Amino acid sequence: MSSTGNPSSQGAIRRLERAQQEASENAAEFWGRAAQAIDWFTPPNVAFDDIEGWFPDGKLNTCHNCLDRHVAAGRGGSTALIYDSPVTKTIKRYSYSELLEQTGRVAAMLKNLGVAQGDRVVIYMPMVPETVFAMLACARLGVVHSVVFGGFSPLELAKRIDDATPKLVLTASCGIEGGRTIAYKPLVDEAIALTSHPVQNVVLLQREQVAATLNPYRDIDWMELRTRTIGDEIPPCAPVAATDPLYVLYTSGTTGLPKGVVRENGGNAVALAWSMENIYGIEVGDTFWAASDVGWVVGHSYIVYGPLLVGATTVLFEGKPVGTPDPGTFWRIIARHHVKSFFTAPTAIRAIRKEDPDGRLLGQIGTGRCQAIFLAGERADPDTIDWLEQNSGLPVIDHWWQTELGWPAIATCIGLGDRRRKRGSAGLAVPGYEFAILDDHGKPVAEGDSGNVVIRAPLAPGAFRTLWNNKAGYEKNFATFPGFYETGDAGYRDLDGFLHIMGRTDDIINVAGHRLSTGQMEQIVASQDGVAECAVIGADDPIKGMIPIAFVSARTGHDGDEALASRIVEAVRDELGPLAALKKVHVVPQLPKTRSGKILRNLLRKIVNSEPFEIPPTIEDTSVPAAIATLVEAKSAK
Ligand code: COA
Ligand code: AMP
């Protein structure tokens, strides 16, 4: 087989297989044992219940497990968090005791404002330490946080506020995007003006780059509030049920409305602690860095909760893979902070490679004590893995998961000693996850054949067990293939058991590691004046993996193709946010459709990717594809 890297020892393979077998045949015992890595106020007697879920009678507190218990164990002086921000030229270290103190202060601030267990707090903040304090402070109080990524528009923020109905919104005066500052306060004000839910207060962290104006009736200065509550006692960690929500994180669904994935305290703590050790090979005292954003699931699991649960050091990076200041920034941080395992998205590596094709900076700076680089968020193309392995000399491990699951389900578990991997595959099933590849009728396909990638229910601890305010939406994920969770991905399993993820079966695309719905973009495009019909498809992109491209047929009398195209680009940016990255709109005389009126999106995808295409016999007008291909070619030649 074309596996790369060191072959695994028979012992490691046996360890993985034993773990897979036990997690599948005796899940309660397997996860019950894993749960011993967590401090419980009331240890669970039952590991799993069909109705109640994981550890239903256990009580714990996630913040206690991330902070207090390490301090109590005498590790208060060890570094918990390193904030490295090349965009502000700042490096700050927080020991476990300091992080506990900072988190406690924010918990006291929240309590002072009347936030209590079970309430929600929306966090719309950049990659600064206060964001981590705020997440942990919510966990401490048993308050449910919902972090919204800064690249979302006010409208998207408003949708999340209306769904989560938070008492407070925590924000900062700005985010720093490469060389630019982005004022957040006007976005928050606009979002709140759009909501029907009344937000009691906005607590705002003023950053020196941008000063925000506060509304005296609603807004509170973070530092003033901190000073005002400095004499307040640090609230104790609230015991919460293992099945109580720790956070709600919204992700793109197929309906255009964001889905609020609910993460439960108990399953999350147990699964993340298990994954740190067994997948990433990280233990107490090691340094782990996930170069993601706290607005995404990777940030929740592997910037904040995972590393702290096991007493490791985590890195909070405020910057970009390139331009802050150069494509050597990742390697500098890995070397400077002795990162042992590093996690990023393939798109970031492609961006670095574009600017440093020979890996000159990587060669000069090196990767210090790093033992492995993990990639996820989109398919890691073999060429990118090859480049990175050659230039870093490290094993590069593709692994697969989703917001819904909260932690990897396909990986090479290096913590278990496994080293096997194949380029083009995301790896092997992680213990706790049993995969099947089914055809559209629910029948298993032969090994090597493509189909729907599904996971046997019930899902492992940590994976979602409901959607916020949307139990029916959650259940839909289990409706198409009874007994299985439908991942929405297509792929195959080869004869060696490696899983290959080839794309989505729905309208979701991954743009620079960000999950977006083309259906949602189509709704925005279709509602613009002058648009008769439209389709948004994901085209291949050498850096971002995919980018959305809109095809539009215009109504007669519209304001000109170019004006229409730029209005559409602006509308998608305004309504969804800059992260949508829809920059190209093709105004065409007609869209390719079947005689029954279905738009042939696959055909459009092939045309923009310059792939050969056949004209389907069901097409309404055979001349349309060639006309579009000519137009697209002419535009890209410009
Ligand atoms: N706040 C405000 N705006 C944001 C933002 C944030 N947190 N994040 C992104 N944006 C904006 C960007 O400034 C950009 O705006 P522009 O169109 O005005 O230039 C737009 O959203 C698109 O951003 P992005 O997709 O990040 O493109 P980019 O060209 O700025 O950077 C990469 C490209 C590849 C360097 C960058 O996307 C990257 O680092 N990706 C890795 C993603 C990742 O870690 N994903 C997590 C999964 S592990
Ligand atoms: P998100 O919920 O944002 O993490 O996105 C999850 C989706 O990203 C998955 O359903 C896949 O479509 C895609 N994805 C994540 N990791 C990988 C990977 N390693 N290989 C292929 N696709 C991936």
Side-chain angles (χ1 to χ4, degrees):
M1 71 179 178
S2 61
S3 62
T4 60
N6 301 325
S8 291
S9 68
Q10 285 307 314
I13 295 174
R14 267 200 305 276
R15 233 181 345 267
L16 176 73
E17 287 175 353
R18 246 198 330 266
Q20 279 168 331
Q21 192 182 358
E22 196 194 349
S24 132
E25 289 172 6
N26 199 347
E29 198 166 315
F30 182 86
W31 290 113
R33 204 166 51 244
Q36 290 170 13
I38 296 303
D39 262 12
W40 298 86
F41 294 139
T42 309
N45 288 310
V46 179
F48 183 73
D49 175 88
D50 276 337
I51 310 286
E52 300 292 325
W54 288 99
F55 316 112
D57 58 347
K59 279 197 171 6
L60 76 163
N61 182 281
T62 297
C63 177
H64 167 84
N65 275 281
C66 287
L67 302 178
D68 303 56
R69 66 161 170 165
H70 302 308
V71 175
R75 301 198 57 258
S78 310
T79 306
L81 174 71
I82 301 172
Y83 166 57
D84 194 321
S85 166
V87 293
T88 58
K89 299 195 172 53
T90 312
I91 299 176
K92 273 193 201 164
R93 288 184 172 75
Y94 296 86
S95 67
Y96 270 94
S97 295
E98 287 164 339
L99 187 54
L100 173 55
E101 167 66 22
Q102 294 287 356
T103 297
R105 293 271 60 98
V106 178
M109 288 157 57
L110 299 181
K111 193 170 169 212
N112 182 276
L113 296 176
V115 179
Q117 188 161 349
D119 287 343
R120 273 83 53 214
V121 165
V122 161
I123 301 176
Y124 186 70
M125 291 185 67
M127 292 285 284
V128 291
E130 286 76 3
T131 309
V132 178
F133 309 158
M135 290 166 76
L136 291 164
C138 288
R140 188 171 193 86
L141 297 171
V143 166
V144 181
H145 63 67
S146 186
V147 182
V148 179
F149 179 63
F152 279 116
S153 65
L155 181 61
E156 287 298 309
L157 175 58
K159 285 183 195 168
R160 286 153 174 80
I161 291 174
D162 269 336
D163 196 58
T165 58
K167 246 189 193 150
L168 306 181
V169 173
L170 307 184
T171 191
S173 57
C174 69
I176 303 173
E177 271 294 293
R180 289 179 301 157
T181 51
I182 301 194
Y184 277 12
K185 183 62 177 8
L187 306 177
V188 172
D189 286 343
E190 197 182 328
I192 291 178
L194 292 168
T195 56
S196 41
H197 168 73
V199 170
Q200 179 191 296
N201 296 113
V202 172
V203 180
L204 182 135
L205 179 76
Q206 295 280 15
R207 302 188 75 189
E208 64 185 44
Q209 294 77 11
V210 170
T213 312
L214 301 190
N215 166 349
Y217 301 103
R218 185 198 65 196
D219 304 342
I220 299 172
D221 181 277
W222 186 295
M223 283 306 167
E224 272 179 36
L225 179 60
R226 192 178 187 283
T227 309
R228 179 150 49 89
T229 53
I230 204 83
D232 293 2
E233 215 178 281
I234 289 184
C237 291
V240 300
T243 50
D244 280 346
L246 169 67
Y247 67 78
V248 177
L249 179 60
Y250 289 89
T251 187
S252 299
T254 51
T255 58
L257 280 178
K259 305 198 295 187
V261 168
V262 176
R263 188 83 55 225
E264 296 178 353
N265 278 277
N268 184 60
V270 172
L272 291 186
W274 188 91
S275 72
M276 287 310 300
E277 185 183 340
N278 295 288
I279 298 179
Y280 299 109
I282 293 292
E283 292 173 4
V284 66
D286 290 335
T287 301
F288 186 78
W289 177 28
S292 178
D293 188 287
V294 284
W296 305 117
V297 67
V298 177
H300 284 64
S301 296
Y302 295 115
I303 296 175
V304 182
Y305 293 111
L308 299 177
L309 279 164
V310 298
T313 303
T314 187
V315 180
L316 181 76
F317 168 70
E318 189 181 31
K320 293 257 178 185
V322 293
T324 60
D326 60 29
T329 201
F330 274 12
W331 322 127
R332 224 167 271 125
I333 284 178
I334 289 172
R336 181 186 294 148
H337 302 304
H338 310 303
V339 171
K340 185 173 173 199
S341 283
F342 171 56
F343 180 157
T344 188
T347 185
I349 302 300
R350 290 194 297 266
I352 291 172
R353 181 183 180 183
K354 184 170 174 229
E355 295 203 3
D356 185 15
D358 304 321
R360 198 177 48 82
L361 285 168
L362 175 49
Q364 271 169 20
I365 300 162
T367 51
R369 297 182 200 159
C370 195
Q371 63 170 18
I373 299 177
F374 288 84
L375 300 178
E378 49 166 330
R379 182 168 180 267
D381 53 288
D383 193 38
T384 299
I385 295 187
D386 195 41
W387 180 87
L388 189 54
E389 286 201 330
Q390 298 250 352
N391 285 283
S392 67
L394 293 173
V396 175
I397 295 168
D398 185 10
H399 65 327
W400 175 96
W401 47 302
Q402 306 180 303
T403 307
E404 289 84 343
L405 303 178
W407 63 288
I410 305 175
T412 301
C413 293
I414 63 164
L416 284 169
D418 201 4
R419 289 286 180 276
R420 291 169 296 165
R421 51 200 192 278
K422 274 190 199 188
R423 295 209 176 129
S425 158
L428 297 156
V430 168
Y433 288 102
E434 249 186 275
F435 281 85
I437 312 290
L438 305 181
D439 68 16
D440 289 345
H441 307 288
K443 294 260 169 318
V445 301
E447 303 293 18
D449 285 357
S450 280
N452 299 284
V453 177
V454 300
I455 306 175
R456 188 176 294 286
L459 295 174
F464 73 154
R465 294 201 334 104
T466 193
L467 292 175
W468 190 256
N469 291 333
N470 188 5
K471 187 79 182 162
Y474 166 78
E475 281 162 0
K476 265 198 193 149
N477 294 283
F478 297 84
T480 316
F481 303 106
F484 292 96
Y485 163 66
E486 183 181 8
T487 65
D489 281 8
Y492 67 94
R493 179 164 39 201
D494 68 22
L495 290 170
D496 301 311
F498 281 79
L499 288 146
H500 300 249
I501 303 292
M502 305 312 289
R504 294 285 303 187
T505 57
D506 54 20
D507 70 359
I508 302 277
I509 56 171
N510 259 295
V511 180
H514 309 147
R515 174 169 156 180
L516 300 167
S517 154
T518 54
Q520 184 181 9
M521 290 189 224
E522 278 183 12
Q523 283 173 20
I524 300 171
V525 176
S527 65
Q528 301 312 305
D529 276 350
V531 172
E533 280 185 308
C534 69
V536 176
I537 54 109
D540 293 347
D541 183 81
I543 302 296
K544 296 193 172 190
M546 280 190 142
I547 46 161
I549 295 190
F551 285 85
V552 164
S553 69
R555 289 188 194 286
T556 43
H558 70 282
D559 52 352
D561 290 0
E562 281 194 16
L564 177 60
S566 54
R567 268 198 295 118
I568 289 172
V569 168
E570 274 312 300
V572 173
R573 196 180 166 89
D574 283 354
E575 291 189 35
L576 193 55
L579 87 166
L582 184 131
K583 302 233 159 109
K584 235 184 225 173
V585 177
H586 295 297
V587 182
V588 295
Q590 236 182 309
L591 290 172
K593 288 198 288 187
T594 61
R595 281 185 286 276
S596 60
K598 195 167 170 289
I599 297 173
L600 293 159
R601 291 181 174 76
N602 248 335
L603 183 72
L604 289 170
R605 200 170 295 121
K606 286 190 171 154
I607 292 174
V608 290
N609 287 341
S610 307
E611 288 170 26
F613 60 85
E614 280 173 15
I615 303 207
T618 53
I619 200 161
E620 185 187 43
D621 181 341
T622 52
S623 68
V624 170
I628 293 179
T630 310
L631 191 140
V632 168
E633 216 172 287
K635 266 196 158 179
S636 45
K638 268 191 200 166

